[in-house]
Amino acid sequence: MTRTSFIRTYQLFCILLLSRLLSLLTLASIGTEQPSSTDYLVSVFFCGLFILFLSIPMLLFLKNYPQMNLVDVAYRVSPIVSKCISVLYAVFFSYFAFVTLSTLKLFVATSVFPNDESTVFVLICLAASCYAATLGLEAIGRASTIALSIFVFSFLFIILIMFDKVRFLNFTPLFLDGVAPSAKFGLRLASITNEIAMILILAPRVKGNKQKMYGWWLFCLLLSILIIFFFTFGGLGDFAVKQLFPVYSMAVLSEFSVFQRFDVLLTGIWILTAFLKISLLFYLQSELLKKSFGEKIKNQYIYGLGVVIFILQFMLRGRFSNYAAITNLTARSIIAFVFLFLIPLCILILDKLKNRKNSTEGESMHA
C-alpha cells in the first residue's frame, strides 16, 4: 500500500462512526426475528460484548505492529499469504459496498420514491462514489468529519423534538420472550461492524493513539445505539417494531411548530453518508488490489468494481427476498467471525511461530 498521505485519529474516528451509524439508522426489520421494544435496549449490551470479542485480534495488531497493517504482517509470514489476504479482504469490502448500496436502494425504493425506478439513482450514486474514491483517503476523511458534524446536529434536533413523545408505557416487560432475542439481535448488530477490518487495513495511515481512538469510538457507538433505540421505541412503541425502517419512521413522525417532515432532512444526510461509506469501501478495495497486482492500472480497480456492482444491482431487482438473502444473520455472523477474528488471529499466530523458529535457528547457528 502506498503510504503517501495520512489522516489523524479524529478523522478515522469520524469515518468509522459515520460508517457505523449509517448501518444502524438504515437497519431494516427483515430477514431476522425482531425482539420486543425493551429488549432492543438490552441488545446493546450484547452487541458491545460481541464487538469486543471480535476486536481482540485487531487490538493485538495495534499493540504489536503499530506501523503495519494486516497485509504487511501477512507478508512477513509469506508473500503468497499476503496476496491471498489482499484479495480476500478486497472481496470482503466489495461485498459490504454491494450490501450498503442494496440497503440504500431498498430504502429509496420503499420509503422515499416508492413509485419511481431507482436504477438511475443507483448509477449516479456509484459514479459519484467511484470519483470520490479516486480522490484518496485524506479527501474522504475531511468530508466524513464535516458530514458527521451535520449528521449529529440534525439527529440531535430530531431527538429533542421526540423527547416529549416518549412514553414509558410503550416499553414492554424485560425479556418478554426470554434472553435469546436480545442476544440474537445484539449479534446482528455486531456482525455488521466491518469497521474493525477497516482499522486493520488503515492503521499505518493514521497518526495518533489508535487504541484510545477505538475505545472512544466503541463507547460513542454503543451510546448512540442506546439513545436511538430509546427514542425510537419509546416514542413509537409497537408501531416501530412493525416498520421496515424503524428509525426513519421516527423521523417521519417528528415535527416541531411549523416545521414538518424532518425525514426529508435526514434522508439527504443518509444518502450523503452512504455515498461516503461506499467511497471508502471502494478505496480500500482498490488499495488492497494494488498491493497484490501492482499500481499500473490504479483507478481502474475502483471503476471496475463500480461496473460489477451496478450489473449485480440491475440483475437482482427483487426488493425484499434478495436483500434478506444477502443480509442473512447466519451468513453475516460467519463472515464477521472469519474476517474480523479468525484470519487476523491466524496471521498473528503464524508470524509469532515464524519469529520463534527464526530465533531458534539463529541460536543453533551461533552455538
Side-chain angles (χ1 to χ4, degrees):
M1 185 179 293
T2 304
R3 302 173 188 171
T4 57
S5 61
F6 296 86
I7 58 174
R8 305 293 300 181
T9 49
Y10 78 88
Q11 291 176 306
L12 180 62
F13 173 89
C14 292
I15 290 172
L16 299 180
L17 189 58
L18 194 68
S19 168
R20 194 59 184 77
L21 286 177
L22 173 71
S23 303
L24 170 66
L25 298 181
T26 55
L27 192 67
S29 58
I30 62 175
T32 185
E33 178 184 351
Q34 299 300 304
S36 58
S37 57
T38 304
D39 290 349
Y40 272 91
L41 304 181
V42 183
S43 69
V44 178
F45 170 76
F46 290 104
C47 173
L49 291 179
F50 288 130
I51 291 177
L52 281 175
F53 172 74
L54 294 172
S55 302
I56 292 173
M58 181 271 292
L59 293 173
L60 291 174
F61 263 93
L62 293 181
K63 178 181 179 181
N64 295 294
Y65 309 99
Q67 301 302 321
M68 303 177 72
N69 64 17
L70 179 64
V71 179
D72 296 328
V73 179
Y75 190 85
R76 287 158 55 105
V77 176
S78 166
I80 296 177
V81 172
S82 178
K83 286 192 174 184
C84 291
I85 292 297
S86 296
V87 173
L88 284 173
Y89 277 83
V91 173
F92 174 80
F93 290 125
S94 300
Y95 164 77
F96 273 99
F98 175 72
V99 171
T100 301
L101 186 61
S102 297
T103 307
L104 183 64
K105 181 182 178 182
L106 177 66
F107 172 68
V108 171
T110 58
S111 302
V112 184
F113 305 116
N115 300 319
D116 296 329
E117 174 61 44
S118 57
T119 303
V120 176
F121 171 81
V122 170
L123 182 60
I124 293 173
C125 184
L126 278 174
S129 298
C130 288
Y131 173 73
T134 63
L135 299 179
L137 183 61
E138 285 184 303
I140 296 174
R142 288 193 296 268
S144 296
T145 303
I146 298 172
L148 181 63
S149 302
I150 300 172
F151 188 105
V152 170
F153 282 117
S154 301
F155 205 83
L156 281 177
F157 192 52
I158 292 176
I159 290 295
L160 290 174
I161 295 171
M162 289 295 296
F163 197 86
D164 62 346
K165 295 180 174 63
V166 173
R167 300 291 182 269
F168 286 97
L169 292 176
N170 286 332
F171 292 105
T172 57
L174 188 63
F175 299 136
L176 183 63
D177 300 313
V179 180
S182 294
K184 186 175 181 180
F185 196 79
L187 177 61
R188 184 187 179 195
L189 291 174
S191 68
I192 57 178
T193 312
N194 52 72
E195 289 74 20
I196 296 173
M198 294 179 185
I199 297 175
L200 283 168
I201 303 302
L202 292 175
R205 305 284 295 273
V206 182
K207 293 182 178 179
N209 190 325
K210 293 176 278 288
Q211 292 95 323
K212 183 177 180 180
M213 179 280 302
Y214 181 74
W216 278 109
W217 174 82
L218 183 57
F219 172 78
C220 292
L221 170 63
L222 296 178
L223 181 62
S224 299
I225 297 175
L226 189 62
I227 292 173
I228 290 170
F229 281 174
F230 175 80
F231 282 96
T232 299
F233 298 102
L236 305 183
D238 291 337
F239 178 75
V241 178
K242 299 174 182 177
Q243 300 305 299
L244 179 59
F245 294 101
V247 181
Y248 175 75
S249 299
M250 178 189 68
V252 170
L253 296 178
S254 63
E255 59 181 42
F256 177 72
S257 184
V258 296
F259 300 100
Q260 298 182 355
R261 295 303 304 270
F262 284 102
D263 59 297
V264 176
L265 171 64
L266 204 57
T267 297
I269 297 170
W270 286 354
I271 292 174
L272 172 63
T273 305
F275 151 72
L276 289 172
K277 180 170 183 176
I278 295 171
S279 301
L280 175 63
L281 292 168
F282 277 26
Y283 170 82
L284 288 167
Q285 174 264 164
S286 173
E287 292 296 298
L288 286 165
L289 291 181
K290 288 178 185 178
K291 189 78 173 179
S292 295
F293 304 106
E295 302 187 15
K296 292 183 179 180
I297 61 176
K298 296 183 179 180
N299 295 332
Q300 279 81 346
Y301 293 121
I302 295 173
Y303 291 113
L305 177 59
V307 172
V308 170
I309 289 182
F310 178 75
I311 294 174
L312 289 175
Q313 288 289 338
F314 184 77
M315 294 173 59
L316 303 176
R317 291 190 173 189
R319 289 184 177 180
F320 296 103
S321 58
N322 292 327
Y323 180 79
I326 64 175
T327 57
N328 177 268
L329 176 60
T330 302
R332 291 282 285 270
S333 299
I334 294 173
I335 291 172
F337 177 74
V338 170
F339 283 88
L340 305 184
F341 186 87
L342 186 60
I343 292 178
L345 184 62
C346 288
I347 295 300
L348 278 170
I349 294 173
L350 289 173
D351 185 59
K352 294 297 182 183
L353 291 175
K354 186 172 183 179
N355 287 339
R356 184 177 300 177
K357 180 181 178 181
N358 292 338
S359 299
T360 303
E361 291 176 352
E363 291 175 359
S364 300
M365 290 178 64
H366 284 91

